[in-house]
Amino acid sequence: MAIPTPIRRHTVFHLRLGFVPLLDSAPLIMAQEMGLFEAEGLRVELVRESSWASLRDKISFGLLEGGHMLAPMPLSMSLATDRPRVPVTTGMVLSRNGNGITLGNDLFDRLVLSGVDLRQPIETARALTRLARKRQKPIQLASVAPWSSHDLQLRDWLDSAGAVNGEDFHIIPVSPVQMMDALRSGAIEGCCVGEPWNSVLERRQLGHILHSGHQIWQNAPEKVMGLRADWAEQHQEMHRHLIRALLAACRWLDSPNNHAMLARILARPEYLGEYFNRNIGEQFPLHPAGGNSPFHPRLHQHFFHNSANFPWLSQAHWLATRLIAHQQQLAHLDMPSIQRIFRPDIFREAAGSLGIDAPVIDSKTEGQHPCAFTLNGQFGPVDVSSDSLLGEQLHDWQASPTVPANKA
């Protein structure tokens, strides 16, 4: 168990953080359970929320200081033009990958009968589009929120085949905990959701995982630690202490030796509880190839290795372009705007105090690296995960430093 050495011990400092019951809420849960928050002088109240909208609203109303957030949420909350803006800051990524695109049995069987290579996302998107046009009825899909990586991954996948929104497919928002009921009732035919819900849908024989989010955006930031910007500005040292506690938890989570303990803790009522235990049961592994772990081996979910926690400005810029491309209303923005939301400088300070290295650059060309690679860090070479994008696309943030605003 990794126990951090505090920079300076404080008296109790109370902080309310929200989380949605998913496997990638584990950094907050384990930091609480292992006493990592307390070691950093923080008394954290973890509040379970049933949906991302609920978490967003409570942060907006000041009922929570922050929480486990979808990576696009800080951008969406800070720069929205269709609702009141709430500036949010993130100084670290909590997890990478972990989403799956799962189709209901009927739709999946139709794809299999079409003879398409199920390993090729662009080919399956084309097959699905042909199916929708043949039956003259859009495919009904769901994501967890319009401003989620799940929604953007679904749309990028379907766009790769030239599918037309509203004609070939519809995407509606459904809370992760309601995804199983929506698929079972026939309200949707497939979805993109985080774990454990793809595994639950397979285990309940309601559908099959077709693709991982990793196949659409390799090693994408999935969840971040988001805080109200006013709180983060007022409590800068506490922000660094919070990151230190969560980094220690993320490092612990990447060790398979700890996953059996993690599964037992996640199954407790105050965490994933009935969502996890009732549907998954106490038997592990979930999947034979996965070893003694709650993590699905096809979804490549990880928390720490290869600089997983570094908040790249280029990835924030790329997420903003995807939000705008898919009609999410954001203000006109440029890199200075993004730099106020994603804070690699704060991450470097907090990580460096633990002896954890980080890249010395803030941005890179996304999609350029099909394999893990090495960059210069503050203390020496640092490993960074691969970042391929569907269709071998590149996102050169230097070539497009300004993101155009939506045409409202």
Side-chain angles (χ1 to χ4, degrees), residues 350-401:
S353 69
L354 290 173
I356 296 172
D357 210 350
V360 294
I361 59 173
D362 293 342
S363 298
K364 56 189 172 71
T365 299
E366 301 298 331
Q368 194 174 38
H369 309 95
C371 301
F373 59 106
T374 302
L375 289 171
N376 291 329
Q378 298 181 100
F379 311 133
V382 289
D383 294 330
V384 177
S385 293
S386 54
D387 55 24
S388 292
L389 302 175
L390 185 64
E392 300 182 351
Q393 298 178 67
L394 296 178
H395 180 72
D396 187 352
W397 64 278
Q398 289 178 307
S400 55

Side-chain angles (χ1 to χ4, degrees), residues 85-103:
R85 294 180 195 170
V86 179
V88 169
T89 293
T90 178
M92 74 173 289
V93 173
L94 292 173
S95 63
R96 292 189 180 264
N97 303 322
N99 293 343
I101 296 174
T102 295
L103 298 185

Side-chain angles (χ1 to χ4, degrees), residues 59-378:
I59 292 172
S60 299
F61 301 150
L63 300 175
L64 298 170
E65 279 74 52
H68 162 237
M69 281 190 182
L70 298 156
M73 276 180 73
L75 295 162
S76 176
M77 292 179 70
S78 301
L79 300 166
T81 59
D82 57 348
R83 57 184 180 276
R85 294 180 195 170
V86 179
V88 169
T89 293
T90 178
M92 74 173 289
V93 173
L94 292 173
S95 63
R96 292 189 180 264
N97 303 322
N99 293 343
I101 296 174
T102 295
L103 298 185
N105 292 328
D106 181 64
L107 199 55
F108 185 84
D109 290 345
R110 287 171 183 265
L111 274 187
V112 171
L113 288 173
S114 75
V116 68
D117 185 347
L118 299 180
R119 298 168 300 181
Q120 303 298 327
I122 296 177
E123 294 303 314
T124 58
R126 287 174 179 159
L128 209 62
T129 303
R130 287 194 295 271
L131 177 62
R133 292 175 182 176
K134 183 177 179 181
R135 73 179 191 179
Q136 298 182 324
K137 179 182 175 185
I139 305 294
Q140 303 293 330
L141 300 169
S143 71
V144 301
W147 20 265
S148 65
S149 54
H150 314 66
D151 197 86
L152 302 177
Q153 287 169 352
L154 265 182
R155 294 178 190 277
D156 273 5
W157 172 52
L158 294 165
D159 276 1
S160 72
V164 179
N165 185 14
E167 295 181 12
D168 300 320
F169 66 93
H170 283 143
I171 298 177
I172 62 171
V174 175
S175 166
V177 300
Q178 294 174 327
M179 208 64 85
M180 183 169 59
D181 290 337
L183 192 61
R184 180 188 284 131
S185 69
I188 60 173
E189 298 174 274
C191 61
C192 186
V193 66
E195 283 289 87
W197 295 105
N198 298 286
S199 295
V200 168
L201 295 173
E202 282 198 335
R203 197 175 178 91
R204 289 297 181 100
Q205 299 182 339
L206 293 170
H208 301 269
I209 298 175
L210 178 63
H211 296 301
S212 65
H214 183 71
Q215 289 178 279
I216 314 299
W217 301 345
Q218 202 175 40
N219 292 308
E222 177 47 38
K223 300 299 187 306
V224 298
M225 181 64 235
L227 292 165
R228 288 180 61 103
D230 54 356
W231 187 94
E233 178 62 29
Q234 188 176 355
H235 305 292
Q236 296 180 26
E237 187 174 355
M238 286 297 101
H239 189 185
R240 289 190 284 274
H241 281 272
L242 177 65
I243 292 174
R244 285 164 53 91
L246 290 169
L247 273 174
C250 286
R251 180 159 51 187
W252 185 89
L253 285 165
D254 263 2
S255 172
N257 294 330
N258 298 326
H259 288 177
M261 178 189 294
L262 170 67
R264 288 194 295 274
I265 292 173
L266 291 179
R268 285 166 41 183
E270 65 269 35
Y271 298 131
L272 275 63
E274 69 272 26
Y275 302 125
F276 186 78
N277 214 19
R278 183 180 62 195
N279 293 297
I280 301 296
E282 295 181 350
Q283 293 183 346
F284 291 91
L286 280 175
H287 300 272
N292 193 22
S293 172
F295 299 108
H296 196 296
R298 286 184 58 195
L299 300 184
H300 304 279
Q301 195 162 4
H302 62 100
F303 296 87
F304 183 78
H305 74 269
N306 286 350
S307 307
N309 308 103
F310 190 72
W312 289 100
L313 292 181
S314 48
Q315 293 187 338
H317 188 271
W318 157 68
L319 286 172
T321 64
R322 304 324 302 149
L323 286 167
I324 290 173
H326 295 306
Q327 304 305 309
Q328 290 297 305
Q329 303 299 317
L330 297 188
H332 184 86
L333 63 99
D334 50 20
M335 284 307 286
S337 303
I338 290 176
Q339 286 171 319
R340 288 192 287 273
I341 302 169
F342 273 57
R343 297 294 302 271
D345 56 327
I346 295 176
F347 178 83
R348 281 196 197 92
E349 290 176 18
S353 69
L354 290 173
I356 296 172
D357 210 350
V360 294
I361 59 173
D362 293 342
S363 298
K364 56 189 172 71
T365 299
E366 301 298 331
Q368 194 174 38
H369 309 95
C371 301
F373 59 106
T374 302
L375 289 171
N376 291 329
Q378 298 181 100

